[in-house]
Amino acid sequence: MALLNYDYIDFIIHNEYQADLLKGRFGLEKENVRVDREGNLALTAHPKAFGNKWENPYITTDFSESQVELITPVFNTVEEAYSFLEALQDIVVQELVEHEEYLWTSSNPPALPRDEDIPIAKLNDSFEDGYRLKLAHKYGRIKQLLSGIHYNFSFDEGFLKKLYAASNNGREYKDFKDSLYLKVARNTLKYRWLLIYLTGASPVFGTTYMEPCVALSRHLDHESRFFPNMNSLRNSSCGYRNEKSLYVSFDTTEEYVHDLKHLVDTGELIHTKEYYSPVRIKSAGGGDPLKNLLDNGIDYLELRMFDLNPLYRNGISLQTLKFIHLFLVYMLLIEDEPFGEMEHQQAVQDVDALMNEGIQAKWGATGAGVTMKETAVEIISSMAEMIKLLQPDHQSLLDVLEVPRSVILNADLSTASIVKAQINESSYIQYHLEKAKQVAKQSIETGYSFTGFEDMELSTQLLLKAAVKRGIRYEILDRGENFIALGKGQQTEYIKQATKTSMDSYSTVLVMENKVVTKEVLSKQGIRVPKGIAYTDIQEALLDYKHYENNRIVIKPKSTNFGVGITIFINPFNVMEFKKALQMAFELDTTVLIEEFVTGKEYRFLVMGDEVVGILHRVPANIVGDGVHSIEQLIHNKNQDPLRGKGYKTPLERIQLGEAETMFLKNQSLSPSDIPLEDQIIYLRENSNISTGGDSIDCTDEVDASYKQIAVQAAKAVGATFCGVDMMIEDIYEEASDYNYCIIELNFNPAIHIHCYPYQGKNRKANEKILDLLFRS
Amino acid sequence: MALLNYDYIDFIIHNEYQADLLKGRFGLEKENVRVDREGNLALTAHPKAFGNKWENPYITTDFSESQVELITPVFNTVEEAYSFLEALQDIVVQELVEHEEYLWTSSNPPALPRDEDIPIAKLNDSFEDGYRLKLAHKYGRIKQLLSGIHYNFSFDEGFLKKLYAASNNGREYKDFKDSLYLKVARNTLKYRWLLIYLTGASPVFGTTYMEPCVALSRHLDHESRFFPNMNSLRNSSCGYRNEKSLYVSFDTTEEYVHDLKHLVDTGELIHTKEYYSPVRIKSAGGGDPLKNLLDNGIDYLELRMFDLNPLYRNGISLQTLKFIHLFLVYMLLIEDEPFGEMEHQQAVQDVDALMNEGIQAKWGATGAGVTMKETAVEIISSMAEMIKLLQPDHQSLLDVLEVPRSVILNADLSTASIVKAQINESSYIQYHLEKAKQVAKQSIETGYSFTGFEDMELSTQLLLKAAVKRGIRYEILDRGENFIALGKGQQTEYIKQATKTSMDSYSTVLVMENKVVTKEVLSKQGIRVPKGIAYTDIQEALLDYKHYENNRIVIKPKSTNFGVGITIFINPFNVMEFKKALQMAFELDTTVLIEEFVTGKEYRFLVMGDEVVGILHRVPANIVGDGVHSIEQLIHNKNQDPLRGKGYKTPLERIQLGEAETMFLKNQSLSPSDIPLEDQIIYLRENSNISTGGDSIDCTDEVDASYKQIAVQAAKAVGATFCGVDMMIEDIYEEASDYNYCIIELNFNPAIHIHCYPYQGKNRKANEKILDLLFRS
């Protein structure tokens, strides 16, 4: 039995390394096969939207062209890795839905064509393509479709260095580190049956799986097969194993590399990576992995035995990830026991026994007639003791053990049992297809956000999603400031708030920031702006009264806009009124503008490069009557839209029914309980801001082309690549003339999410467009 | 006699056009010949620093290569035009001094070589070069060296349009405007003798002037010649006139153009521009001037009869410019009288009479025996009446008439009399050479500023000066924000605060603005920055105490720098002290940085493009003892440096002796009345800011090249073209290593004036460098 090494624990506690020991670096890899809307393996190509398979570090394919592999970066917490996995899945699912495809939620394959019709991934690399062909030949293509989750783990580098310094036994750091990881690897191999018991989630498979297995299996229904007690097909003898049980030493890195090379040299393996060990030791660098391992030592462990769990959207639960982490820490802190070829074989037999007899099976390694169940209970108790010693006040860590403990005590509570029971009420294909469609629905509903990055601005989340989708590397430079770096090959782009980029020069931004200068530059280019004069002396302005008296004008302080100190004269005014308005404005600024009053509706043109990507018109918060519901009910209903939220984290804000709205209704002689007529529009606000529940209406396709040309011309006039052009237009269907439009402002940091998720209209994919421009080559 | 047209004045007053009438647009042109340090005509080429003569709209040459012509833009006030003229002259004089040349302060030429050795301006244009050769042949080169000031004036366009609308007599606007300007032109021609009397300032000339004139003249001394009563050689018969008195009608624009063309066709003139009228009517557009005049009408009048006045640094007084303006307004408001060929001849004879007899001469036009003096007195009175009618409360306008009135009443007070008297005490050449050197001295002393733009930042003033110097067009877009546009050919550059330009991308600026991101980017490039970690959780930071306990560290809130909340631990510290420092910092920001404490001295590297343009070290306010003066006296003496001022308008600030300084002295057991030993350095401040009297020490040439490479590399890492790199260096003479330097900050808007006018060291001409980079072609 796994016994805690108390000397080791004392040493950790004595040196106050407990917190560091529980730190770590985490990465996840997940495979899912793509299926069509009937649950058949998708025979289509890997979507182009995910870029080049070779270059995309997040989304690629595995053996089959139909097998999507999601790879998270390495994070300091399992939570972050888990969130990112969800985000990656959202990105993929949202793209697949456009092709009526889904991610299959079982580790076992969906309805398959003949083996030879299963498409092998095309990588345009003679070695990789050849290797996959050889695998197909050796194992059949079907088996290669078994999918799962890989868990990559390393201890905190600082912890390892401190531990090395404190133990100081004359070895080199690399050797110290390698022996530590190898101990964890050996123990994990030995006790992996427990992890497999706890995570197994593929007890049922379809009739199109490999013939011998199907033939030996039992019927759940006419299309669903199973073996009694088998909870993970992948980990069973029908699963993803090498042809023979191959022995590779985990005693030293050198022996590991030597044994692996020997297997290749003697023809047992096509390539070292064909060695399907449930635990692999890995080195982080590029190039030849085995050479790296010898030169630089072990950087992390890869655990490869986890099934896709259809009960969780992500294919695995966060609690499971946390348990695995604690389990790995535990593997470090238990006694080190010899683990040679015999122990290796025994560990394989333990897994086979689990598959055949379940947790009640005898645990063969001790030979003492103890069951796996008894052993498992002891391990959980021992882990609890470890946690109490390391972190006396962390109940949350102890909580992680609760589900595993129950599942050990009652096999009916295991994921495999639950999945099998649920499939029994439906059928293998139907059940998983239903799950896959549920996942897709969830992804689409909250699809605007980037899971794990919801604290950032929506525009930045959308840009990051688009980047990850096409395999552009990202780095969060300053989270609070929405400052990121995106990279592809040698190119690195620094981007703040999605549209502040290297493609706009500083002086361009400064021109747009200064309204007076912007107007000057635009009007020199013959673009209509509100005519006006800037005054720094009230006397001077007063002298010009005669010049204005018969016009509609706006008097405003230079530096505040849509704010206080603004007077609008639509009707004729006398010199005293003129003076009063000037005085009010001059109280707020040393420069006051007198501008012509511009009529029409306001439109936001989003210009990117030479193109108008989207045009939006904003409408004040409103509801449309149906002759049945009250205003209050209609607001409630409208607010159900998942695009509406609170606090700028959603594309639209919920409509409030506060003081301002009630007052606005009252002014229309309405109350919240009134029932509007069918199709009657009731406005709840005067202002059209999205932040107070306004609607964004995409009208990109309606606006006459002449205005788009003007918007692009305006952006060019100030040299802008990314530019929000605010234009007043009398009638969007009428061609632009010298009298029917006016540009009132240029914005150097236009929001993009409003064009991606408008209240009405298409997603204009402004995030994709930014990347098209930044990464042109 | 000139009689006010009271109907006209009533009409102006009735329509409330008085203020508009007194508005106008003003431009000045001034010629000076260049001389060497002995007062000989400089035979060198027009300085390269002024760029291409053809393209520089501000600084060019006239007839001779040695004749610099300064041209101001057109301004709304005479004050602005006057200031700009001074600035232009400063720019030219400062450049000439570097070649030991000066601007000759007399309209009459300096010591000349033989006529054929006077260099004609080379313009690389066959027409222009040919024209100058023909002029040299026809008039001799010497006469062409007579220099003066041209005064360009137009009425306010708004005034003219209002006046046109109000008079509405069926004519077209162009015809209305032309007849108005022609009236002013005719009256000015008629009464020009008064302007010449008032502005004449060249009564004496040298022996190398044209032989016949020298022969007829009288001796003041062996090298100075004069004619009695002659106050302006240029306007005399020895001056710059056409060979014959040529008649051109000023009755209509058509007749003017017809007569001029006729003179060219009959060979009287080489070209229309050879017509040396004291008043020209002008059209603003490019292309053929006479065609323009016919097509678009008159845009402004050019008055060409003004002498260089050596009594004023600018060659003319501001009061004179104001007088000329009032005189032109007066010429509009007096009765219109016929001005045919006879009247034209009479006006020439009046000037001749003035030259021969002075102001006592009979005024011939009336034939009634009235003297010019009597007439002049009446004109001044009439002008005063006009002012009182137009602006009853403007004493300052009436004041403008005072000097002219005195000069009319007493010829001894005239500029010409004073100049002649002063030359009498020296000699023609000596006197003007002295004046030229005085002008140069003044220019250099306040040379850092751009006269007329002193309200703008010094860095912007310096950039504007450099632009004007090489003929780059400028425009002030937003004065308060130091936002300008510079243009050359088709290229326009928008620049704010001198170093915010189109050459830096917005994302580059954002990286530099964010200290955490800057450090990350630099350290990835292997550049040394203070090592440190950003914490958002105080608990996390506390856990790292062990990591820091034996190091020198700085704890600071992320967003404030050199401000509150910073703790520096140089000596060992305990966990409680550590916690207290963290708490203080976390009170001010949600992110707190713990950084290594960096030693060494701080240097500012100014990087522009691939080059370190300057390196500065700042030293706290200090004085150096001489064993004689007290600290207080030494401060007073040091503050005499014209580079020191108050309120950021000078390159250095005056040292104060306030509370802080007195306290700082007291801490050193010193008082302001103490007398430091010779060479003893006494510091008055702990901080080294220039704003509190610190010294800036240029050490560009001392710092080891390795640091310069690092500074350039740092700028490149963030993609910056203009970048202030703040570096801590242990020893500037020792090569950079991994341990002896550290970059603490990058600044995206580095000041340039500190590198142009340091307390100690060379002018690094950072302003020129900006232009070199912006206008590369």
Side-chain angles (χ1 to χ4, degrees), chain A residues 478-510:
Chain A
D478 191 322
R479 204 164 173 111
E481 298 205 340
N482 294 283
F483 205 159
I484 64 174
L486 297 181
K488 192 177 169 190
Q490 293 301 307
Q491 189 185 351
T492 301
E493 291 290 336
Y494 299 102
I495 301 161
K496 192 168 167 179
Q497 296 173 304
T499 48
K500 296 178 175 175
T501 75
S502 69
M503 301 204 64
D504 282 306
S505 81
Y506 193 27
S507 62
T508 282
V509 168
L510 294 169

Side-chain angles (χ1 to χ4, degrees), chain A residues 415-433:
Chain A
T415 302
S417 299
I418 295 168
V419 167
K420 200 198 277 180
Q422 291 185 352
I423 291 175
N424 207 14
E425 290 175 16
S426 157
S427 83
Y428 175 69
I429 299 290
Q430 272 316 306
Y431 173 75
H432 285 291
L433 187 60

Side-chain angles (χ1 to χ4, degrees), chain A residues 511-538:
Chain A
V511 168
M512 289 196 264
E513 204 176 49
N514 188 309
K515 293 192 181 74
V516 176
V517 174
T518 299
K519 275 177 59 176
E520 211 168 310
V521 173
L522 292 184
S523 100
K524 265 191 195 160
Q525 296 283 319
I527 296 168
R528 278 271 293 147
V529 293
K531 275 177 207 142
I533 299 182
Y535 294 90
T536 51
D537 179 358
I538 190 164

Side-chain angles (χ1 to χ4, degrees), chain A residues 56-349:
Chain A
N56 191 325
Y58 311 112
I59 303 168
T60 180
T61 55
D62 201 319
F63 168 82
S64 166
E65 181 76 9
S66 313
Q67 196 170 26
V68 177
E69 185 174 357
L70 307 180
I71 304 165
T72 75
V74 180
F75 293 98
N76 288 327
T77 65
V78 283
E79 284 86 351
E80 288 167 280
Y82 192 70
S83 287
F84 198 92
L85 185 64
E86 184 171 322
L88 274 180
Q89 182 169 280
D90 281 344
I91 289 167
V92 170
V93 165
Q94 284 161 28
E95 175 66 27
L96 292 184
V97 162
E98 296 193 13
H99 311 283
E100 283 195 273
E101 291 186 2
Y102 303 90
L103 287 184
W104 188 243
T105 61
S106 176
S107 278
N108 301 336
L112 298 177
R114 291 181 310 176
D115 194 274
E116 59 269 35
D117 292 337
I118 293 171
I120 298 176
K122 288 169 206 74
L123 287 162
N124 289 324
D125 176 288
S126 59
F127 167 75
E128 288 288 339
D129 292 341
Y131 173 66
R132 277 172 177 69
L133 271 175
K134 283 181 199 159
L135 284 182
H137 213 255
K138 189 166 177 181
Y139 299 93
R141 300 180 182 200
I142 289 176
K143 192 184 257 188
Q144 299 286 340
L145 288 180
L146 288 167
S147 301
I149 289 174
H150 298 180
Y151 186 109
N152 296 315
F153 171 75
S154 57
F155 288 102
D156 178 68
E157 180 83 7
F159 163 67
L160 292 178
K161 287 197 166 149
K162 284 180 193 169
L163 200 65
Y164 170 68
S167 9
N168 193 11
N169 50 12
R171 282 188 297 181
E172 274 190 40
Y173 174 65
K174 178 172 85 76
D175 297 335
F176 166 82
K177 191 178 62 165
D178 278 8
S179 77
L180 185 143
Y181 276 120
L182 284 164
K183 172 184 173 186
V184 175
R186 290 189 303 267
N187 284 335
T188 304
L189 282 169
K190 180 172 175 185
Y191 292 104
R192 72 177 186 264
W193 56 266
L194 178 54
L195 290 179
I196 291 170
Y197 173 69
L198 292 172
T199 60
S202 54
V204 183
F205 54 98
T207 52
T208 53
Y209 193 60
M210 296 193 300
E211 237 181 280
C213 293
V214 172
L216 291 167
S217 67
R218 302 200 190 171
H219 287 245
L220 201 60
D221 58 51
H222 73 283
E223 63 171 25
S224 316
R225 300 285 184 274
F226 73 102
F227 294 105
N229 293 315
M230 186 281 287
N231 75 339
S232 174
L233 189 65
R234 281 169 74 243
N235 287 294
S236 76
S237 52
C238 273
Y240 198 56
R241 289 187 182 176
N242 288 111
E243 285 182 312
K244 298 184 198 165
S245 182
L246 304 170
Y247 174 67
V248 170
S249 166
F250 275 73
D251 284 343
T252 67
T253 308
E254 287 71 21
E255 287 177 41
Y256 177 87
V257 170
H258 170 272
D259 290 358
L260 258 186
K261 283 191 171 164
H262 181 71
L263 290 172
V264 175
D265 291 346
T266 57
E268 294 285 353
L269 296 177
I270 304 167
H271 187 268
T272 55
K273 67 180 176 178
E274 192 200 334
Y275 177 59
Y276 298 138
S277 175
V279 178
R280 277 183 181 165
I281 55 174
K282 295 265 209 156
S283 184
D288 177 0
L290 292 189
K291 186 174 181 307
N292 252 327
L293 208 49
L294 287 178
D295 291 349
N296 308 318
I298 302 169
D299 287 313
Y300 66 97
L301 300 179
E302 182 186 23
L303 275 63
R304 302 160 49 84
M305 67 286 263
F306 306 113
D307 273 359
L308 296 176
N309 183 340
L311 304 179
Y312 288 88
R313 183 175 164 190
N314 252 6
I316 193 161
S317 75
L318 181 59
Q319 290 296 307
T320 301
L321 296 182
K322 288 182 178 175
F323 177 81
I324 297 166
H325 176 212
L326 288 175
F327 186 84
L328 290 166
V329 171
Y330 179 70
M331 294 293 108
L332 174 65
L333 297 184
I334 60 175
E335 298 287 354
D336 209 354
E337 290 165 13
F339 193 75
E341 185 156 8
M342 208 177 71
E343 289 79 9
H344 190 90
Q345 289 300 340
Q346 182 60 51
V348 174
Q349 285 166 28

Side-chain angles (χ1 to χ4, degrees), chain B residues 231-250:
Chain B
N231 74 339
S232 174
L233 189 65
R234 280 168 75 243
N235 287 293
S236 76
S237 52
C238 275
Y240 198 56
R241 290 187 182 177
N242 288 110
E243 284 183 313
K244 298 185 201 165
S245 181
L246 304 169
Y247 173 66
V248 171
S249 166
F250 276 71

